[in-house]
Amino acid sequence: QVQLVESGGGLVQAGDSLKLSCVASGPPFSLYAMAWFRQTPGQERTFVAAINSGQGAYYADSVKGRFTISRDNAKNSVYLQMNSLKPEDTSVYYCAVDRRLYYSGSDYFQSTMAYWGKGTLVTVSS
């Protein structure tokens, strides 16, 4: 049974940094892209960042230059380093595993994800 568990969320001030972690249990996902999405109440879940099996990374324009995604295949984990946080980054952050084997493109959507975590809340105060 596949399970993704996020951690690292919390309450920070604008300008602070935070690092999210996501550990996957079950089969190894080294051949699949892993991604982070976020969602605020009443809004769609949106793409934040993804990293493919070849370590290629992709970011939403809103976080480019501030967030860094990384993965550790030995630990079946993906991370999101978030710097220079803004109040508009306040959301529940979800990690996910893409369903496409060896996908190396730049298009990541909710519909292309096979597995999801339950999310971790990040709150950025002004």
Side-chain angles (χ1 to χ4, degrees):
Q1 183 176 353
V2 176
Q3 189 174 16
L4 303 178
V5 180
E6 303 97 334
S7 62
L11 173 62
V12 296
Q13 293 188 330
D16 285 352
S17 297
L18 209 57
K19 185 173 183 178
L20 306 183
S21 300
C22 172
V23 180
S25 61
F29 292 118
S30 59
L31 303 182
Y32 297 85
M34 300 183 77
W36 289 94
F37 286 72
R38 65 187 181 186
Q39 185 173 24
T40 54
Q43 297 191 5
E44 291 284 322
R45 190 171 297 187
T46 59
F47 170 75
V48 175
I51 184 166
N52 62 30
S53 58
Q55 301 288 344
Y58 303 90
Y59 299 92
D61 288 342
S62 59
V63 306
K64 204 170 292 184
R66 299 188 298 122
F67 290 11
T68 302
I69 190 171
S70 61
R71 66 189 298 166
D72 184 337
N73 291 331
K75 297 181 179 179
N76 227 19
S77 296
V78 63
Y79 308 96
L80 187 67
Q81 176 67 46
M82 306 185 294
N83 298 330
S84 303
L85 282 162
K86 305 175 181 180
E88 51 263 44
D89 294 319
T90 295
S91 277
V92 177
Y93 285 73
Y94 299 89
C95 72
V97 178
D98 197 279
R99 68 178 69 251
R100 298 166 292 182
L101 181 63
Y102 286 125
Y103 180 70
S104 61
S106 59
D107 298 320
Y108 298 92
F109 308 100
Q110 289 189 64
S111 60
T112 65
M113 300 297 133
Y115 302 105
W116 291 91
K118 294 184 177 181
T120 185
L121 176 62
V122 173
T123 303
V124 184
S125 64
S126 57

